[in-house]
Amino acid sequence: MQWSIQDIARLSGTTSRTLRHYDDIGLLPPTSIGTNGYRYYDEAALTRLQRILMLRDLGLALPAIAEVLAGQTDDARALVAHLHWLEQERARVERQIASVTTTIRKMEGGEQLMAEEMLDGFDHTVYKDEVEERWGAEAYAKSDRWWRELGAEGQAAFKAEEAAISGGLAAAHAAGTPADNAEVQALIARHYAWVRAGWGGTAPSAEAYLGLGDMYVADPRFAKHYGGPDGAEYVREAMRVYAASELA
Amino acid sequence: MQWSIQDIARLSGTTSRTLRHYDDIGLLPPTSIGTNGYRYYDEAALTRLQRILMLRDLGLALPAIAEVLAGQTDDARALVAHLHWLEQERARVERQIASVTTTIRKMEGGEQLMAEEMLDGFDHTVYKDEVEERWGAEAYAKSDRWWRELGAEGQAAFKAEEAAISGGLAAAHAAGTPADNAEVQALIARHYAWVRAGWGGTAPSAEAYLGLGDMYVADPRFAKHYGGPDGAEYVREAMRVYAASELA
DNA sequence: CTAGAGGTTGACGTTGCGTCAAGGTCAAGC
DNA sequence: GCTTGACCTTGACGCAACGTCAACCTCTAG
């Protein structure tokens, strides 16, 4: 069985340009090339491509992937090395966050700005009453327990994930990106996963998820967090699209 | 008061290439340009440069810095925006760390490997953390690229050279040869050349080289490699002598 | 036969400079 | 006046991993 470049691009969820690039750098030459110059790939190539994409998604650089595929480097060893690099990256980013935060704090008006734009909306105990009212005291207790067990690092990651999502949504909204845009929906997918994590792993039903969207619009604290009423409505709309297509 | 490009490069701790680049992109045009085409800068330019470098160190992109300096964007607001971006970065890195860790754990032997933390004193990735911590992730990336480009043969030669040097030093230490002995110093000269090669040809300064010696003593992995704490101290002492006489 | 979908090979853009290359300028010593 | 060496200039490539035209050929269905 042979496939054209577009075929495997679709099968593997990448683009033909990427495949051409991989051919150029010798990472994935096509199985055969027609007299017309067309690239054709077989199952073996597809398998190889899938390994490449998996490693790429883990963040490995293409030359490192090439080594692993060539058998020069052991998979596990390459990943452990990569893990070290990632940890260094995290440390670097965290150091920068610390210095930027310090700098902002030292500037007049900076503290104010920071507080307005990001810090509130984040003490999870603020939501205690709403959670209990909507989903019961038991639900809150469970969520609270889960939160404490996360540990400082897990909590930071959880907050950071939310910051990333809402930041991305705010940018999309500002850019006028439609709510059903693929990237926006990818952010919503992350948001859904984030909410589910906050629910202790229980997947929210479409109804519950939509209710959350309504709350974002209705509650000024949430609305503000998503960049005002407009932003919150935008997020709700994106959540609606997601629920309709993914949670039906 | 006017300074040449090299002068302010030194005064501000950057390079003339960077200054030319800032001129090219209009971020920092020189105060005046001589009939010979030379760039000259005054105190105002120096001040502006220092603000640029401060913001750059906080991680802001050059166009963002340009906006701040042009007064188009408020400093605090730009930093808050940058903080958002940094948090997204952290979230991204944390997600990758999570998936890489999971992947390693699912592989046979992976867990083991991770636990061992790569004790083999000769996988060059062992040096990764030290390199990144002391000289930055970029320095490591460069070194890593160089390493891969060496090819299997070059890598073997590199390892062999190190083995020869450390073997020779261990023997000298065991024999009670003083650290300032000529043969020992010849070995250190080879060691220095070896380090420089690992640096992609950049000659380490006396300070950097001495820091490396300290690291050998402080880090048990290195110490072990040089035959325990005593051996590492011996090597450091020999490096000190070398630095004093050759790198002064 | 024609339209439209899909294929090809360039080649530029992205980020912030490092690193040659080829060649002019300037101050100092002979 | 000449040489030397330090310093200056303007290009231009390199890096990571493709996205995005551009210009042009090929295949397939109606």
Side-chain angles (χ1 to χ4, degrees):
Chain A
M1 194 60 183
Q2 300 266 87
W3 292 285
S4 75
I5 195 167
Q6 199 69 263
D7 290 340
I8 33 158
R10 269 191 295 259
L11 280 172
S12 61
T14 183
T15 70
S16 57
R17 176 66 179 90
T18 296
L19 293 166
R20 263 178 235 118
H21 182 58
Y22 291 171
D23 183 10
D24 287 346
I25 63 173
L27 183 56
L28 181 71
T31 309
S32 67
I33 298 185
T35 52
N36 49 16
Y38 282 26
R39 293 172 177 80
Y40 295 104
Y41 300 80
D42 64 5
E43 299 89 342
L46 182 56
T47 305
R48 185 180 169 91
L49 174 58
Q50 276 161 348
R51 267 195 86 195
I52 291 171
L53 294 178
M54 207 199 70
L55 292 171
R56 190 195 60 172
D57 287 345
L58 290 175
L60 267 85
L62 299 187
I65 293 177
E67 274 188 23
V68 172
L69 291 179
Q72 276 179 40
T73 308
D74 176 47
D75 301 43
R77 206 168 291 275
L79 288 179
V80 170
H82 181 51
L83 188 53
H84 276 270
W85 145 269
L86 284 172
E87 279 163 355
Q88 282 304 123
E89 267 299 289
R90 177 174 57 181
R92 192 181 60 78
V93 171
E94 272 168 357
R95 276 197 304 276
Q96 283 221 337
I97 287 178
S99 12
V100 171
T101 305
T102 304
T103 306
I104 293 175
R105 194 157 285 152
K106 282 193 297 200
M107 291 170 37
E108 357 165 357
E111 185 106 38
Q112 175 70 7
L113 237 181
M114 203 158 52
E116 280 173 13
E117 295 212 3
M118 45 197 327
L119 287 184
D120 57 4
F122 258 118
D123 180 354
H124 82 296
T125 60
V126 161
Y127 304 128
K128 180 169 183 175
D129 291 346
E130 281 89 25
V131 171
E132 288 187 344
E133 198 171 314
R134 279 181 173 262
W135 295 291
E138 200 178 329
Y140 176 78
K142 180 181 171 186
S143 164
D144 187 51
R145 203 162 46 242
W146 161 81
W147 177 252
R148 282 199 310 266
E149 282 166 1
L150 261 188
E153 201 170 322
Q155 291 177 8
F158 189 75
K159 287 181 187 179
E161 173 66 0
E162 205 284 339
I165 295 168
S166 59
L169 288 172
H173 179 221
T177 316
D180 60 358
N181 170 277
E183 283 184 37
V184 171
Q185 287 299 305
L187 282 171
I188 295 295
R190 277 170 66 189
H191 178 256
Y192 182 76
W194 178 79
V195 171
R196 183 175 51 201
W199 280 31
T202 308
S205 66
E207 192 178 280
Y209 194 56
L210 290 172
L212 190 62
D214 291 337
M215 200 167 77
Y216 284 174
V217 173
D219 187 321
R221 281 171 312 169
F222 282 106
K224 189 170 145 200
H225 185 67
Y226 286 106
D230 277 8
E233 276 186 43
Y234 177 74
V235 172
R236 178 174 64 175
E237 174 59 16
M239 287 168 72
R240 249 186 14 74
V241 171
Y242 181 80
S245 75
E246 306 294 327
L247 308 178
Chain B
M1 196 58 181
Q2 300 267 84
W3 293 284
S4 74
I5 195 168
Q6 199 70 263
D7 290 339
I8 34 159
R10 269 190 295 258
L11 280 173
S12 61
T14 184
T15 70
S16 57
R17 177 65 180 90
T18 297
L19 293 167
R20 259 177 240 125
H21 182 57
Y22 291 170
D23 183 10
D24 286 346
I25 64 174
L27 183 56
L28 181 71
T31 309
S32 67
I33 297 185
T35 53
N36 47 19
Y38 283 25
R39 294 173 176 80
Y40 295 103
Y41 301 79
D42 64 5
E43 299 87 343
L46 182 56
T47 305
R48 185 181 169 91
L49 174 58
Q50 274 160 350
R51 265 194 88 195
I52 292 172
L53 295 179
M54 208 198 71
L55 293 171
R56 190 193 62 174
D57 287 345
L58 290 175
L60 267 86
L62 299 186
I65 294 177
E67 277 188 21
V68 172
L69 290 179
Q72 280 178 38
T73 309
D74 177 48
D75 301 45
R77 209 166 289 275
L79 288 179
V80 169
H82 181 51
L83 192 52
H84 275 280
W85 144 265
L86 283 173
E87 278 164 354
Q88 282 188 244
E89 267 299 289
R90 179 174 57 184
R92 195 180 59 77
V93 171
E94 271 166 356
R95 276 199 310 280
Q96 283 222 338
I97 287 178
S99 17
V100 171
T101 305
T102 305
T103 306
I104 293 174
R105 196 158 283 153
K106 282 194 297 204
M107 292 171 38
E108 356 166 356
E111 187 104 40
Q112 175 70 8
L113 236 185
M114 219 162 30
E116 283 172 12
E117 288 281 88
M118 299 177 297
L119 280 182
D120 169 17
F122 269 107
D123 179 350
H124 84 295
T125 58
V126 157
Y127 301 127
K128 182 169 193 170
D129 291 346
E130 282 85 18
V131 171
E132 289 187 343
E133 199 171 312
R134 285 181 168 260
W135 298 289
E138 203 178 327
Y140 176 77
K142 181 180 172 187
S143 163
D144 187 51
R145 211 162 37 242
W146 161 83
W147 176 253
R148 283 199 308 264
E149 282 166 2
L150 260 187
E153 205 170 316
Q155 291 177 7
F158 189 74
K159 287 180 186 176
E161 173 66 1
E162 206 287 338
I165 295 168
S166 61
L169 288 172
H173 177 221
T177 316
D180 61 357
N181 169 278
E183 283 185 38
V184 171
Q185 286 300 303
L187 282 171
I188 294 295
R190 279 170 67 188
H191 178 257
Y192 181 77
W194 177 79
V195 171
R196 183 175 50 201
W199 279 30
T202 308
S205 67
E207 194 177 278
Y209 194 57
L210 290 172
L212 190 63
D214 291 337
M215 202 166 75
Y216 285 173
V217 173
D219 188 320
R221 281 171 312 168
F222 283 104
K224 185 174 148 200
H225 185 70
Y226 287 107
D230 276 10
E233 276 188 43
Y234 176 74
V235 172
R236 176 173 64 174
E237 175 59 17
M239 287 167 74
R240 246 186 18 74
V241 172
Y242 180 81
S245 76
E246 304 296 325
L247 309 178

